[in-house]
Amino acid sequence: MTLTKTEEDYLKALFHLSLENESDKAGTNQVAEYLGLSPASVNNMLKKLKGKDLVAYEKYGKLTLTESGKSVAVRLIRKHRLWETFLFKHMNFTWDEVHEVAEQLEHIQSSKLISELDKFLGHPKRDPHGAIIPNEQGEYSLEPHITLASLQVGDTCRLTSVRDSSVPFLQYVSRIGLALSSRIRVAEVQAFDGSMTIETEGNAYTVSKKFAEHVFVEKI
Amino acid sequence: MTLTKTEEDYLKALFHLSLENESDKAGTNQVAEYLGLSPASVNNMLKKLKGKDLVAYEKYGKLTLTESGKSVAVRLIRKHRLWETFLFKHMNFTWDEVHEVAEQLEHIQSSKLISELDKFLGHPKRDPHGAIIPNEQGEYSLEPHITLASLQVGDTCRLTSVRDSSVPFLQYVSRIGLALSSRIRVAEVQAFDGSMTIETEGNAYTVSKKFAEHVFVEKI
DNA sequence: TATTTATATTAGACAAAGCTAACTTTTTAT
DNA sequence: ATAAAAAGTTAGCTTTGTCTAATATAAATA
Ligand SMILES: [Mn+2]
Ligand SMILES: [Mn+2]
Ligand SMILES: [Mn+2]
Ligand SMILES: [Mn+2]
């Protein structure tokens, strides 16, 4: 009944891709791309996960997690984000360093450790990237994901979270003086390519549309 | 160059068995017994570890760790004991609960995490079982291991550490009111089987020779 | 010394998770 | 509607780490 680290990582990938895909489904090749594996390997694992009733799909059809599969994925995400919070708050890790180590720590099997860690951290609501941490029952609120890219010239907002945990992206965000809760004003948007000039703390930076799509904000 | 969890566990087993074996060597069957595997599996792995210059032996001969193998083992033991200390001091684990989870945590790959954890814990010298934690350079002092069983009637001592991390043993130690630093007086020793009656905190208990051999003490 | 017992090794099989190359089905574009 | 492209599947091979059964060597005992 205990899943391997590998099986857990597949379920987590399926969960993330299903969320992004608004159809709430994912494809084999997409999973392969996401995990850096061949489609053949993914197909092979999907058969196994279907056999364990964690994933549902028809041959040549799209993939969904079963309730059971979703539950495993959410508990894993909870562990991942609690560990990231621990590393950031108590181990002096920067927000671009936490993900890689949390990717390992999330697979530690000990329910006592997780509930104690949660208590130790003061039941945090968000991880160092602003992502919401599911509670002990696996419940979590999906907040509206408004991207910086969707704002108009003159709009003001606060940075709530980032889409991506990749090191280059997070370092870039920091380098231009942004962090969680940063106040941002949209000063200019290029019709040509969506490039955006933003102001924060008195400084102005021009960022690509791609960048702006990876930054989640709330309007103020 | 990075070793698998399995390879690491073999090296740790060899290190522990070599220490116990006063010959400073271990046997294939002994490793198999210790890890709960077949001798064939162990032999197979030993070939691989010999190929990586972590273990040295001749066919049908006894096993020793190379300097390189010893260094891996000691670093692993350091991580194990630091994690046990963390679980015990900050996660409300009892001393019989820490080992199992530390067995997983010791394989997390992050030198930053270990050095920060060490700092966070205040550079502890001993783990929750009284075992000495090697320092960052892999240095550690082997203190004289005097067992309770070696004492005479009338001797008084202090419990410094325990040989074993098994749950039943540790729970038994606690149940008779012993813990690290407990003061113990030997009240009686049976010539027949080495059973020993000990006094601690005003209470008296009779324990087997086997038990007394698993308790390390310093005379006072 | 000869025999028995203990210890170590080899051969061959299996499960997990990955790969490439070839093939099938579905989707998209002409 | 057909052809081309994309997505998904299958077949067959590899590596890692395990097993059992058979065999070889070393140690202990008679
Ligand atoms: Mn992971
Ligand atoms: Mn995160
Ligand atoms: Mn281990
Ligand atoms: Mn210990």
Side-chain angles (χ1 to χ4, degrees):
Chain A
M1 194 66 289
T2 326
L3 303 177
T4 65
K5 171 191 173 330
T6 309
E7 290 172 321
E8 288 189 330
D9 281 335
Y10 271 93
L11 295 174
K12 194 154 64 93
L14 280 164
F15 186 88
H16 285 311
L17 291 171
S18 299
L19 273 189
E20 280 177 23
N21 271 12
E22 88 270 334
S23 65
D24 219 55
K25 289 170 164 20
T28 301
N29 285 15
Q30 203 184 5
V31 175
E33 164 79 26
Y34 186 86
L35 293 175
L37 301 173
S38 73
S41 301
V42 172
N43 183 261
N44 191 52
M45 176 60 85
L46 288 171
K47 273 189 215 157
K48 199 201 302 185
L49 295 174
K50 187 182 181 179
K52 296 189 178 185
D53 197 40
L54 295 162
V55 173
Y57 70 103
E58 320 268 285
K59 223 196 228 186
Y60 291 102
K62 292 298 170 187
L63 315 166
T64 39
L65 287 173
T66 62
E67 279 311 307
S68 163
K70 234 175 272 178
S71 155
V72 172
V74 171
R75 271 181 293 140
L76 197 64
I77 287 167
R78 171 175 159 79
K79 290 201 274 177
H80 184 103
R81 293 180 181 168
L82 285 172
W83 279 117
E84 284 191 346
T85 305
F86 172 73
L87 295 172
F88 187 74
K89 289 263 198 64
H90 298 279
M91 298 286 113
N92 302 307
F93 276 57
T94 55
W95 78 340
D96 57 292
E97 291 173 329
V98 298
H99 182 79
E100 183 192 341
V101 180
E103 202 57 47
Q104 302 176 56
L105 285 163
E106 70 189 0
H107 302 290
I108 300 293
Q109 303 288 345
S110 167
S111 48
K112 170 157 187 167
L113 176 52
I114 285 306
S115 71
E116 289 291 337
L117 186 62
D118 185 40
K119 197 202 299 177
F120 176 81
L121 297 171
H123 308 287
K125 293 274 176 299
R126 290 170 179 270
D127 80 4
H129 309 112
I132 287 179
I133 301 175
N135 72 12
E136 194 130 25
Q137 284 68 52
E139 300 155 350
Y140 57 96
S141 56
L142 304 170
E143 53 185 349
H145 272 173
I146 302 171
T147 71
L148 176 58
S150 71
L151 300 200
Q152 314 276 303
V153 171
D155 285 348
T156 311
C157 63
R158 210 171 272 291
L159 196 165
T160 55
S161 65
V162 288
R163 187 193 293 277
D164 199 319
S165 315
S166 80
V167 173
F169 171 67
L170 295 172
Q171 288 187 350
Y172 180 32
V173 174
S174 301
R175 193 154 335 117
I176 65 178
L178 294 177
L180 295 190
S181 303
S182 287
R183 191 194 174 92
I184 302 169
R185 201 183 80 86
V186 179
E188 203 179 326
V189 179
Q190 296 306 131
F192 172 58
D193 62 359
S195 292
M196 197 174 248
T197 300
I198 59 177
E199 291 169 8
T200 181
E201 311 266 329
N203 296 309
Y205 300 93
T206 301
V207 299
S208 70
K209 184 174 188 188
K210 181 175 175 188
F211 177 91
E213 285 168 347
H214 283 70
V215 173
F216 296 121
V217 299
E218 60 176 2
K219 276 203 231 180
I220 47 180
Chain B
M1 194 68 285
T2 325
L3 303 177
T4 64
K5 171 192 171 329
T6 309
E7 291 171 322
E8 288 188 330
D9 281 335
Y10 271 94
L11 295 175
K12 193 155 63 97
L14 280 164
F15 186 88
H16 285 311
L17 291 171
S18 299
L19 272 190
E20 282 176 22
N21 272 10
E22 87 271 332
S23 66
D24 219 55
K25 288 171 165 24
T28 302
N29 285 14
Q30 204 185 5
V31 175
E33 164 79 25
Y34 185 86
L35 292 175
L37 300 173
S38 73
S41 302
V42 172
N43 184 261
N44 190 54
M45 177 60 85
L46 287 171
K47 271 188 216 158
K48 199 201 302 182
L49 295 174
K50 187 181 181 179
K52 296 189 177 184
D53 197 40
L54 294 161
V55 174
Y57 70 103
E58 319 270 285
K59 224 197 228 187
Y60 291 102
K62 293 298 169 188
L63 315 166
T64 38
L65 287 173
T66 62
E67 279 312 306
S68 161
K70 234 176 272 178
S71 154
V72 172
V74 171
R75 271 182 294 141
L76 197 63
I77 288 166
R78 169 174 159 82
K79 290 202 273 177
H80 183 103
R81 292 179 182 168
L82 286 171
W83 279 117
E84 284 191 344
T85 305
F86 172 72
L87 295 172
F88 187 75
K89 288 262 196 63
H90 298 279
M91 297 287 113
N92 302 305
F93 276 57
T94 55
W95 78 341
D96 56 293
E97 291 173 328
V98 297
H99 182 77
E100 184 192 339
V101 180
E103 202 57 47
Q104 302 176 58
L105 286 163
E106 69 190 1
H107 302 289
I108 300 293
Q109 304 286 346
S110 168
S111 49
K112 170 158 189 168
L113 177 52
I114 285 305
S115 73
E116 289 290 337
L117 187 63
D118 185 41
K119 197 203 297 176
F120 176 81
L121 297 171
H123 308 288
K125 292 274 176 300
R126 290 170 179 270
D127 80 5
H129 309 113
I132 286 178
I133 300 174
N135 72 11
E136 195 132 24
Q137 285 68 50
E139 300 153 349
Y140 57 97
S141 56
L142 303 171
E143 51 187 350
H145 272 173
I146 302 172
T147 70
L148 177 57
S150 72
L151 299 201
Q152 313 276 304
V153 171
D155 285 349
T156 311
C157 63
R158 210 171 273 291
L159 197 164
T160 54
S161 65
V162 288
R163 185 192 293 277
D164 198 320
S165 313
S166 80
V167 174
F169 171 68
L170 294 172
Q171 288 188 348
Y172 180 33
V173 174
S174 301
R175 192 153 336 113
I176 66 177
L178 294 178
L180 295 190
S181 303
S182 287
R183 193 194 173 90
I184 302 169
R185 201 184 79 86
V186 178
E188 206 180 322
V189 179
Q190 296 307 129
F192 173 59
D193 63 359
S195 293
M196 198 173 247
T197 301
I198 58 176
E199 291 169 8
T200 180
E201 310 267 329
N203 297 308
Y205 300 93
T206 301
V207 299
S208 70
K209 184 174 186 187
K210 181 175 175 186
F211 178 91
E213 285 169 348
H214 283 70
V215 173
F216 296 121
V217 298
E218 59 176 2
K219 274 203 231 182
I220 47 180

